[in-house]
Amino acid sequence: IANTQAIIGQDGHVNSAAQLCADYTVGVYDDWYLPALIELELLNRAYLQVQTSTASTEFATLYWSSTEYELPLDPWILATSAYQMVMGYGETTPSSKDSYGKVRAFRRF
Protein backbone atom coordinates (compact mmCIF):
# COMPACT_ATOMS: atom_id res chain seq x y z
CA ILE A 1 0.00 0.00 0.00
CA ALA A 2 2.83 2.36 0.89
CA ASN A 3 4.55 1.69 -2.46
CA THR A 4 1.37 2.55 -4.37
CA GLN A 5 0.98 5.81 -2.44
CA ALA A 6 4.66 6.67 -2.97
CA ILE A 7 4.42 6.06 -6.73
CA ILE A 8 1.31 8.18 -7.10
CA GLY A 9 2.84 10.93 -4.94
CA GLN A 10 5.98 11.32 -7.07
CA ASP A 11 6.51 14.69 -8.73
CA GLY A 12 5.35 14.65 -12.32
CA HIS A 13 3.22 11.51 -11.88
CA VAL A 14 0.64 11.30 -14.64
CA ASN A 15 -0.51 7.69 -14.81
CA SER A 16 0.79 4.28 -13.81
CA ALA A 17 -0.12 0.74 -12.86
CA ALA A 18 -0.26 1.99 -9.27
CA GLN A 19 -2.81 4.64 -10.25
CA LEU A 20 -4.95 2.04 -12.03
CA CYS A 21 -5.05 -0.06 -8.86
CA ALA A 22 -5.73 2.89 -6.55
CA ASP A 23 -8.64 4.00 -8.77
CA TYR A 24 -10.13 0.50 -9.05
CA THR A 25 -13.51 -0.13 -7.43
CA VAL A 26 -15.54 -3.33 -7.17
CA GLY A 27 -18.84 -2.87 -5.41
CA VAL A 28 -18.09 -1.08 -2.14
CA TYR A 29 -14.37 -1.99 -2.20
CA ASP A 30 -12.11 0.87 -3.24
CA ASP A 31 -8.95 0.11 -1.24
CA TRP A 32 -6.97 -1.68 -3.96
CA TYR A 33 -3.22 -1.27 -4.48
CA LEU A 34 -0.38 -2.43 -6.75
CA PRO A 35 1.31 -5.38 -5.02
CA ALA A 36 4.97 -5.51 -4.09
CA LEU A 37 7.13 -8.21 -5.69
CA ILE A 38 6.99 -10.39 -2.56
CA GLU A 39 3.17 -10.36 -2.70
CA LEU A 40 3.23 -11.49 -6.34
CA GLU A 41 5.66 -14.25 -5.34
CA LEU A 42 3.20 -15.46 -2.66
CA LEU A 43 0.34 -15.41 -5.18
CA ASN A 44 2.46 -17.38 -7.63
CA ARG A 45 3.26 -20.04 -5.01
CA ALA A 46 -0.43 -20.41 -4.15
CA TYR A 47 -1.29 -20.64 -7.85
CA LEU A 48 1.25 -23.43 -8.38
CA GLN A 49 -0.11 -25.38 -5.40
CA VAL A 50 -3.71 -25.40 -6.63
CA GLN A 51 -3.03 -25.55 -10.37
CA THR A 52 -4.66 -28.42 -12.25
CA SER A 53 -4.35 -29.64 -15.81
CA THR A 54 -7.49 -27.63 -16.61
CA ALA A 55 -6.13 -24.36 -15.18
CA SER A 56 -6.26 -21.37 -17.47
CA THR A 57 -2.99 -20.42 -19.17
CA GLU A 58 -4.18 -16.80 -19.20
CA PHE A 59 -2.70 -16.41 -15.71
CA ALA A 60 0.82 -17.05 -17.08
CA THR A 61 1.67 -13.52 -18.11
CA LEU A 62 3.74 -10.56 -16.93
CA TYR A 63 2.27 -8.58 -14.05
CA TRP A 64 3.65 -5.30 -12.69
CA SER A 65 4.81 -4.97 -9.11
CA SER A 66 5.33 -1.80 -7.10
CA THR A 67 8.92 -2.84 -6.34
CA GLU A 68 11.35 -0.55 -8.10
CA TYR A 69 14.60 -1.76 -9.64
CA GLU A 70 17.99 -0.10 -9.14
CA LEU A 71 16.99 2.63 -6.77
CA PRO A 72 19.24 5.65 -7.38
CA LEU A 73 21.51 6.83 -4.57
CA ASP A 74 20.26 10.38 -4.98
CA PRO A 75 16.71 10.63 -3.50
CA TRP A 76 15.80 13.32 -6.05
CA ILE A 77 16.34 10.96 -8.98
CA LEU A 78 13.46 8.57 -9.69
CA ALA A 79 13.98 4.91 -10.58
CA THR A 80 13.14 4.23 -14.21
CA SER A 81 12.46 0.48 -13.86
CA ALA A 82 10.29 -1.79 -11.74
CA TYR A 83 9.94 -5.55 -11.42
CA GLN A 84 7.43 -7.64 -13.31
CA MET A 85 6.65 -11.31 -12.61
CA VAL A 86 5.60 -14.06 -14.99
CA MET A 87 2.84 -15.85 -13.10
CA GLY A 88 2.92 -19.61 -13.30
CA TYR A 89 6.70 -19.56 -13.71
CA GLY A 90 7.78 -17.23 -10.92
CA GLU A 91 10.32 -15.53 -13.15
CA THR A 92 10.99 -11.89 -12.31
CA THR A 93 12.39 -9.30 -14.63
CA PRO A 94 13.08 -5.58 -14.31
CA SER A 95 11.32 -3.56 -17.00
CA SER A 96 11.27 0.06 -17.99
CA LYS A 97 8.30 1.77 -16.38
CA ASP A 98 7.09 2.94 -19.78
CA SER A 99 6.71 -0.62 -21.11
CA TYR A 100 3.50 -2.63 -21.14
CA GLY A 101 2.33 -5.33 -18.77
CA LYS A 102 -0.78 -6.47 -16.98
CA VAL A 103 -1.93 -5.23 -13.60
CA ARG A 104 -3.40 -7.37 -10.84
CA ALA A 105 -4.85 -5.21 -8.07
CA PHE A 106 -4.61 -6.44 -4.46
CA ARG A 107 -6.52 -5.50 -1.34
CA ARG A 108 -6.17 -6.50 2.29
CA PHE A 109 -9.04 -7.81 4.35
Side-chain angles (χ1 to χ4, degrees):
I1 296 172
N3 285 357
T4 296
Q5 293 168 343
I7 292 166
I8 293 169
Q10 290 176 348
D11 287 341
H13 179 268
V14 178
N15 62 33
S16 63
Q19 187 71 57
L20 287 172
C21 292
D23 291 345
Y24 189 58
T25 300
V26 176
V28 298
Y29 304 109
D30 62 357
D31 54 347
W32 300 87
Y33 65 95
L34 183 64
L37 185 59
I38 186 68
E39 292 169 307
L40 287 178
E41 289 172 351
L42 293 171
L43 176 63
N44 187 64
R45 283 188 211 153
Y47 167 74
L48 293 174
Q49 289 176 354
V50 299
Q51 182 182 15
T52 67
S53 60
T54 60
S56 170
T57 57
E58 183 179 322
F59 194 69
T61 189
L62 277 172
Y63 289 98
W64 280 108
S65 81
S66 63
T67 305
E68 294 183 317
Y69 177 74
E70 290 187 357
L71 292 173
L73 296 176
D74 185 338
W76 297 104
I77 299 174
L78 301 177
T80 59
S81 298
Y83 282 100
Q84 290 183 316
M85 174 175 271
V86 181
M87 287 294 161
Y89 297 99
E91 181 181 320
T92 61
T93 182
S95 297
S96 172
K97 289 182 182 180
D98 61 1
S99 62
Y100 292 97
K102 291 193 175 186
V103 177
R104 183 166 291 274
F106 276 41
R107 68 179 293 271
R108 294 188 177 155
F109 55 94

